[in-house]
Amino acid sequence: MSRFDHHTAAFARNWRADYARMRDSEPVAATDAHGGYVALTRYADVRRALLSPQDFACGRDLQKHEPPGGVTIPTNPFRMGMMEMDPPESLALRRLLVPWFSARAVDAEREPIRQIVGWCIDRVIEQGRLDVVDDLANPVPALVTLDLLGLPLSNWAQYARTLHEAAYREPGSARGIAWLLDDLRATVAARRADPPDVLTPVDALLSAEIDGQPLSEDLAVELIFMLLNGGIDTSTAIIAQALLYLSRHPGDRARLAADSSAIPAAVEEFLRFFTPGTGLARTVVRDVTVAGVQLCPGQRVFLALGSANLDPEQFPDADTVRLARYPNRHVAFGAGVHRCLGSFLAAAELATLIEEVLARLPDLGVDEAGVRPYEHIPIVAGFRAMPATFTPGRRIGLTVGEDAPPSRSARQRAAAADIAATIEESNADW
């Protein structure tokens, strides 16, 4: 029986070495932690499970067996939308949102993303110092996600802080989540009573029907919270990891600064090597054999994404960052019918932020003594703090005293809605 437990401080400090040992000697590792589960650590096994929802279920409303299921171990106190549902229910809900998060739709978001990144840089550029987490890595995903969804930006800082603190289990963070959910319920109720003139993803959910029935207010709130929770702190973690790496490797930083066309491939490599989500859980729903080990219905399984992305059987020189790595079939976003809905958006955020930081803060250097990683990483391998310094520059767009960047114009929102509608029509049988 393995001593593996992805919630411990020891795992947070040594997860790369722990995963390497498990891949070599115990690729299907049984542990009695958290009621007992099995960890899969090799790329082939993890990917197979991700692509086999008929064998490995996400849903937490499983009636045929215990425990209750879901994508975390132990199970979250609240369901995470379609992430914790199975086909066909999950696919019906996913189809409502896919048009807003497709590659084509995200391409139309690049200029709003650039404006948000620029606003965040403007807030600190005259100071010559910042905290990568508090000033860039946390605000950018929060602002981008809220703006894309069509939610008010007025509370962006509290949303960002609440979800960030919940990720590293800050005492009292449950109260923050309760506040956030109440705020979302109030917003949803107001929008349902008085829809805006221009469609947004939130309003698309509120006007949608499944099997001829409108989505309940509770389900709409659950799906919006899922998008916020999945889109903010995981992106916060990978942004911080990427900027820390570039601070430590000035040669790679110079190469990306000289050739911005190399940034997208570098982003994929950062996602592989610094996989922000350490793993996902599944529940076995029928007898299945993995790497010679028999798994039975009801058994809980942890798919170690961070380990799979470091498997040398799939990635030559896996323990080295190779910015131009190709092919790069990492599973940082999962795979199959539950692949992360925001994968294109997250990659675009990171690429845009790196490009703007290299252009406007070219000598950004992290103060290693002040870096504070999460003490525990059961879900996200991120940071509490990451101070850095740079040569001060000048603001280019920020009005002093602005608490949030301006929301996109009605014209931009109408264009986004048109793109989403076009994609939805072309994927009517998706």
Side-chain angles (χ1 to χ4, degrees):
M1 183 74 68
S2 171
R3 294 183 178 179
F4 177 73
D5 181 351
H6 60 294
H7 285 259
T8 65
F11 174 74
R13 292 191 301 269
N14 304 304
W15 66 269
R16 291 179 184 272
D18 289 348
Y19 277 158
R21 174 185 51 76
M22 292 166 70
R23 283 194 307 272
D24 289 341
S25 63
E26 198 176 9
V28 183
T31 176
D32 58 6
H34 310 290
Y37 63 101
V38 170
L40 308 186
T41 53
R42 289 180 180 170
Y43 179 91
D45 298 332
V46 168
R47 185 171 174 83
R48 173 193 169 189
L50 290 169
L51 295 176
S52 304
Q54 70 278 10
D55 297 325
F56 299 90
C58 290
R60 56 189 293 164
D61 301 324
L62 306 171
Q63 299 177 358
K64 295 182 180 179
H65 50 74
E66 294 290 340
V71 298
T72 63
I73 295 174
T75 304
N76 269 329
F78 41 80
R79 191 177 64 178
M80 290 297 295
M82 62 197 180
M83 286 176 60
E84 297 193 310
M85 301 177 186
D86 295 307
E89 184 182 17
S90 63
L91 293 179
L93 292 171
R94 185 180 179 91
R95 186 177 177 278
L96 299 176
L97 292 165
V98 160
W100 301 91
F101 292 89
S102 68
R104 183 181 169 195
V106 169
D107 279 343
E109 297 295 319
R110 291 185 183 273
E111 185 53 34
I113 292 172
R114 193 173 302 279
Q115 291 172 2
I116 286 171
V117 172
W119 182 85
C120 290
I121 291 176
D122 270 355
R123 296 173 76 213
V124 296
I125 195 167
E126 294 179 331
Q127 301 171 8
R129 65 185 184 281
L130 57 77
D131 187 284
V132 168
V133 176
D134 291 340
D135 295 316
L136 293 177
N138 208 18
V140 168
L143 287 162
V144 168
T145 305
L146 289 169
D147 191 44
L148 183 147
L149 292 178
L151 292 169
L153 299 186
S154 54
N155 285 332
W156 74 266
Q158 193 165 354
Y159 270 59
R161 182 173 59 253
T162 295
L163 292 169
H164 184 48
E165 291 178 350
Y168 61 80
R169 304 295 195 267
E170 177 73 10
S173 60
R175 291 193 298 273
I177 293 295
W179 167 85
L180 192 153
L181 288 170
D182 286 344
D183 194 65
L184 285 179
R185 289 189 190 97
T187 299
V188 164
R191 294 282 271 274
R192 184 158 265 169
D194 185 20
D197 294 333
V198 180
L199 191 67
T200 71
V202 165
D203 302 296
L205 281 176
L206 298 182
S207 62
E209 294 184 348
I210 299 291
D211 296 329
Q213 297 296 318
L215 270 64
S216 69
E217 189 169 296
D218 285 345
L219 181 55
V221 169
E222 182 181 342
L223 292 170
I224 296 166
F225 179 72
M226 174 201 75
L227 294 170
L228 292 170
N229 196 66
I232 294 180
D233 206 64
T234 50
S235 292
T236 297
I238 192 62
I239 288 169
Q241 292 279 16
L243 294 184
L244 178 60
Y245 175 86
L246 293 175
S247 174
R248 290 172 170 171
H249 298 84
D252 282 346
R253 179 172 63 190
R255 281 188 282 276
L256 295 183
D259 180 12
S260 61
S261 69
I263 292 177
V267 164
E268 297 303 319
E269 180 67 344
F270 290 147
L271 286 163
R272 180 195 72 85
F273 192 79
F274 300 113
T275 306
T278 52
L280 296 168
R282 295 289 189 266
T283 305
V284 179
V285 293
R286 61 184 185 184
D287 290 330
V288 62
T289 301
V290 178
V293 177
Q294 180 73 34
L295 303 181
C296 303
Q299 202 162 1
R300 296 284 276 152
V301 178
F302 182 77
L303 311 181
L305 304 182
S307 177
N309 283 340
L310 295 174
D311 189 341
E313 292 297 315
Q314 174 66 25
F315 303 100
D317 201 14
D319 288 327
T320 300
V321 172
R322 290 167 41 180
L323 296 185
R325 184 182 295 274
Y326 184 85
N328 195 344
R329 299 180 65 205
H330 64 75
V331 290
F333 294 121
V337 297
H338 286 288
R339 188 177 192 272
C340 176
L341 186 67
S343 59
F344 296 118
L345 181 65
E349 282 177 359
L350 180 54
T352 303
L353 187 141
I354 288 174
E355 188 173 349
E356 291 297 304
V357 166
L358 292 176
R360 299 188 63 193
L361 310 173
D363 60 349
L364 181 89
V366 171
D367 175 7
E368 300 270 354
V371 173
R372 294 179 60 203
Y374 291 170
E375 292 87 352
H376 304 269
I377 56 171
I379 300 174
V380 177
F383 297 87
R384 288 174 176 257
M386 188 178 291
T389 57
F390 54 88
T391 300
R394 63 182 182 85
R395 291 181 284 109
I396 60 175
L398 174 67
T399 299
V400 175
E402 276 186 287
D403 293 326
S407 296
R408 70 189 65 195
S409 67
R411 186 164 63 92
Q412 287 173 315
R413 290 205 180 280
D418 286 344
I419 289 172
T422 301
I423 294 168
E424 184 171 12
E425 289 171 6
S426 65
N427 292 337
D429 297 323
W430 186 82

